[in-house]
Amino acid sequence: PSPPPSPTFMDSFWAPRILLALASILYGTNFPLGYLMNQSLPPSFATSSRLLLSFFCLLPFLPSLSKNLITASLLCGVFTSTGYISQSIALETVDPSTVGKKKYSQPCN
């Protein structure tokens, strides 16, 4: 029998906590960066570029996608793009700190 694999950094106590902190930081930059993008680029281009970037990042996983998930994935993509387009429109008229505070402090309203 082969020896058990040695633990990696991802098996440590701190790895999940560091990844969670990095994800929180990235999510926290969503509104300020969206606001800056909308100030320097047309909102339609800013939204399209974000969605195209995520499409190309996920493209290698497309062939292994189960056939029964295709419809659900497309529906999820439509709702996600609607959210980003709505955010771009909102950031044209409202300060990004106000939009972020309203979204995350009162998510049901």
Side-chain angles (χ1 to χ4, degrees):
S2 62
S6 61
T8 62
F9 176 71
M10 292 307 293
D11 296 326
S12 72
F13 175 80
W14 288 105
R17 288 156 179 81
I18 291 171
L19 290 175
L20 186 60
L22 289 175
S24 299
I25 291 169
L26 286 175
Y27 288 146
T29 62
N30 187 29
F31 289 106
L33 288 180
Y35 179 76
L36 292 174
M37 285 175 54
N38 285 343
Q39 294 300 315
S40 59
L41 301 168
S44 59
F45 180 77
T47 302
S48 299
S49 63
R50 291 173 82 176
L51 295 176
L52 279 173
L53 178 65
S54 52
F55 169 75
F56 286 120
C57 289
L58 295 172
L59 188 60
F61 302 103
L62 191 60
S64 62
L65 184 65
S66 175
K67 298 295 181 199
N68 59 352
L69 291 177
I70 291 177
T71 304
S73 300
L74 289 173
L75 185 62
C76 181
V78 167
F79 284 121
T80 303
S81 61
T82 303
Y84 276 115
I85 291 168
S86 302
Q87 176 184 321
S88 291
I89 293 169
L91 288 174
E92 286 183 10
T93 58
V94 180
D95 187 60
S97 63
T98 305
V99 174
K101 184 171 34 170
K102 294 242 185 233
K103 179 179 180 184
Y104 292 115
S105 64
Q106 301 171 351
C108 296
N109 293 337

